[in-house]
Amino acid sequence: MKTEKLELRYLYCLLCCMSRPISGALQLLPENEMERLIALNNLDLDYNNLEESLSDLTKLAAKIAGTKISLVNLIDHYTQWSVAGIGMELGQTPREDTVCQYLVYDSSLKDLEIENMEKDSRFFDKTYVKEEPNLRYYYGIPLKLNEEINIGALCVLDTDYKQISPEKKEMLSIIAKEVVNKLKIYKAIEGLQHKIHETKKVKDKVAHDIRGPLGGIIGLAEIIQLQGNKNKLEEVLEFISLIQKSGKSLLELADEILALDYEGKIEGHTKQEEFTLNTVKSKIQSMYAPQALTKSIQFDVEVNFPNAEIPIPKNKVLQILGNLISNSIKFTPIGGNILVKLDLEVIGSEKLMIFEVEDSGEGIEEEKIQNILNGEVASTSGSMGEKGYGFGLNLVLHLVNSLHGKLAITSKVGRGTIFKVKIPVN
């Protein structure tokens, strides 16, 4: 993606990143922030692939509200991701600069309406109010996984002052619930595709393993039949013994299937394989290059090409890398460098994913590194005053541990940090 295209896209992005630094930007964290982040990450969503499935709902929301703009925004620990919408280019925004963060912060809010952002002390000085697109009206409804956990918001916006009737607000609330349902369905479909894929492997393996002993039984029976009276008793007994062994193998196979244990015996059985190192590279470049661009950070991604097209599990790869990259962007000064290295070691039938994120940022003291690895991270500010929520690295540690991997951190204060993640692929 060319620099000019990125600049044009994110100049008109809602709550655009170019509004940084913002004095007094609020850091709004709900008490259950870590639980909220885990719930969002467990959906394992690819933010680049949601627009098509949600576009009909955003169009409907804008039509009902009578607004020019409608967006579905998901909010992680650092960033608001506009994953679907109409009337405005999709993009990403620092969480502390957004309007929708207020709906995530207070789970008791059923909606949030701002009739004139130009008159609201929280937003009047924001770039998206003062300059293009000169937003004035905002109405948002939280996207709730349950009563306590909000993962983002469905919002409608306009450059003119608006009034939305209670009946239309109720219809928008129904659409917001449908957005959440679609996200859950999206996840469920992936799970079903995974099971179908595994079921086909089981079926093929069962057919193969049944064919062997069954073919042996039929073959031995045919030999006995063809030889007829010429069969000697000891030969017949030997054939019967072999038939008995083949029959026993079939019975054992049936027992394994009935005990639901057969699937685990498939050689090379793994989670659904959807990604390669090259696809991971493409996705993180499209997702995080714009953030790096706003701070003139040189952002590069390198792949170990010998294994670049070997399938790897999708499970949590983007979430782990995304958190590490966002953290590095926040703590790397203007004109700095971030290098991401993607590798896959293959030893026999085993694979080991190795990810490195190296930055030229502020660095981390040894005591703080140990706090991170112990799951104890305090919130700090980035190199341009961005708010560091303290949950991003905690979440990385949680995700890596859940995949039986390891996180290592090396750093020199004032010279940068290297995060290294190793995750086994069974």
Side-chain angles (χ1 to χ4, degrees):
M1 188 178 292
K2 295 182 179 180
T3 300
E4 294 85 353
K5 188 175 181 180
L6 284 171
E7 288 176 340
L8 179 61
R9 177 182 179 184
Y10 289 93
L11 177 63
Y12 294 101
C13 174
L14 175 66
L15 314 179
C16 72
C17 297
M18 296 302 289
S19 61
R20 288 189 290 183
I22 293 181
S23 59
L26 293 177
Q27 179 181 355
L28 299 175
L29 296 176
E31 292 182 0
N32 65 340
E33 176 68 0
M34 191 62 182
E35 181 184 358
R36 192 190 73 80
L37 291 175
I38 291 172
L40 175 60
N41 279 269
N42 282 342
L43 290 175
D44 206 12
L45 300 171
D46 183 346
Y47 297 149
N48 288 329
N49 291 340
L50 296 176
E51 183 178 6
E52 183 176 353
S53 62
L54 299 175
S55 62
D56 56 338
L57 294 177
T58 55
K59 290 176 183 177
L60 182 59
K63 187 171 183 179
I64 288 172
T67 58
K68 300 182 180 75
I69 303 164
S70 172
L71 296 171
V72 172
N73 294 323
L74 299 178
I75 299 179
D76 65 18
H77 61 292
Y78 292 114
T79 306
Q80 172 180 282
W81 300 88
S82 297
V83 297
I86 185 172
M88 184 171 286
E89 289 282 349
L90 301 182
Q92 52 197 259
T93 309
R95 172 175 170 170
E96 62 267 23
D97 296 344
T98 68
V99 184
C100 293
Q101 66 165 328
Y102 288 86
L103 290 167
V104 168
Y105 172 66
D106 187 350
S107 60
S108 68
L109 287 177
K110 294 183 179 180
D111 59 8
L112 176 62
E113 185 173 33
I114 303 171
E115 295 182 353
N116 187 354
M117 285 196 280
E118 194 177 28
K119 302 293 185 182
D120 194 305
S121 61
R122 296 169 295 179
F123 311 112
F124 74 92
D125 62 344
K126 303 295 186 185
T127 301
Y128 50 86
V129 175
K130 293 166 49 178
E131 302 173 12
E132 286 286 346
N134 299 112
L135 295 175
R136 293 295 178 265
Y137 181 79
Y138 171 95
Y139 180 73
I141 301 169
L143 301 176
K144 289 179 170 286
L145 289 183
N146 57 47
E147 288 303 315
E148 300 296 326
I149 294 179
N150 298 347
I151 59 173
L154 167 70
C155 64
V156 292
L157 308 103
D158 211 298
T159 56
D160 296 322
Y161 308 113
K162 292 284 180 181
Q163 285 186 337
I164 298 179
S165 68
E167 293 78 15
K168 290 184 176 181
K169 290 179 180 178
E170 181 61 31
M171 286 189 280
L172 291 173
S173 177
I174 294 171
I175 294 174
K177 291 175 183 177
E178 187 59 27
V179 168
V180 175
N181 287 337
K182 279 210 169 187
L183 294 178
K184 291 179 178 178
I185 290 170
Y186 185 87
K187 175 65 175 175
I189 288 174
E190 282 198 334
L192 288 173
Q193 289 174 337
H194 167 55
K195 288 181 179 179
I196 290 170
H197 178 73
E198 290 180 341
T199 299
K200 184 178 184 302
K201 289 168 65 177
V202 173
K203 182 194 73 173
D204 292 345
K205 184 65 175 174
V206 169
H208 176 270
D209 285 358
I210 286 177
R211 190 178 292 112
L214 191 59
I217 291 172
I218 294 171
L220 290 169
E222 287 178 346
I223 291 174
I224 294 173
Q225 184 181 29
L226 287 172
Q227 290 185 352
N229 294 331
K230 296 180 182 179
N231 285 309
K232 295 180 181 179
L233 179 60
E234 59 271 18
E235 290 177 344
V236 172
L237 291 175
E238 184 179 351
F239 289 153
I240 290 173
S241 175
L242 292 172
I243 290 172
Q244 186 182 35
K245 289 179 180 178
S246 295
K248 187 177 180 181
S249 295
L250 282 173
L251 284 174
E252 289 174 351
L253 180 60
D255 287 341
E256 288 176 359
I257 294 170
L258 291 173
L260 300 178
D261 188 44
Y262 191 72
E263 182 179 347
K265 297 180 181 293
I266 297 177
E267 183 179 355
H269 174 71
T270 62
K271 294 181 176 64
Q272 185 182 7
E273 294 173 335
E274 298 183 66
F275 283 0
T276 66
L277 294 183
N278 280 336
T279 56
V280 172
K281 174 182 177 180
S282 175
K283 286 179 180 296
I284 63 175
Q285 280 181 324
S286 65
M287 293 172 73
Y288 297 100
Q291 291 185 22
L293 180 66
T294 64
K295 292 179 69 174
S296 300
I297 291 173
Q298 180 66 39
F299 180 69
D300 296 301
V301 183
E302 294 181 356
V303 172
N304 184 355
F305 285 103
N307 298 325
E309 287 300 322
I310 294 178
I312 58 175
K314 171 188 174 183
N315 194 19
K316 304 298 187 296
V317 167
L318 292 181
Q319 283 77 7
I320 290 170
L321 279 169
N323 280 284
L324 291 176
I325 293 168
S326 291
N327 181 80
S328 288
I329 290 173
K330 282 189 176 293
F331 293 95
T332 298
I334 292 174
N337 302 283
I338 295 175
L339 174 62
V340 180
K341 297 180 181 179
L342 309 176
D343 196 3
L344 182 68
E345 287 187 359
V346 180
I347 304 173
S349 61
E350 298 195 359
K351 305 172 190 173
L352 183 67
M353 292 187 291
I354 303 173
F355 306 139
E356 284 190 25
V357 178
E358 180 178 354
D359 64 55
S360 61
E362 300 173 0
I364 310 173
E365 297 173 354
E366 184 60 33
E367 181 180 354
K368 290 184 178 179
I369 290 177
Q370 294 307 313
N371 289 339
I372 292 169
L373 297 177
N374 291 332
E376 303 168 359
V377 185
S379 180
T380 53
S381 295
S383 64
M384 288 178 60
E386 311 97 324
K387 296 297 181 182
Y389 292 94
F391 290 93
L393 296 179
N394 266 340
L395 185 61
V396 168
L397 186 64
H398 170 84
L399 295 175
V400 171
N401 287 341
S402 71
L403 298 174
H404 308 290
K406 292 183 179 180
L407 170 65
I409 305 172
T410 56
S411 184
K412 291 184 179 180
V413 175
R415 297 181 61 182
T417 304
I418 300 175
F419 298 93
K420 189 168 186 176
V421 175
K422 293 184 179 181
I423 300 172
V425 180
N426 297 324

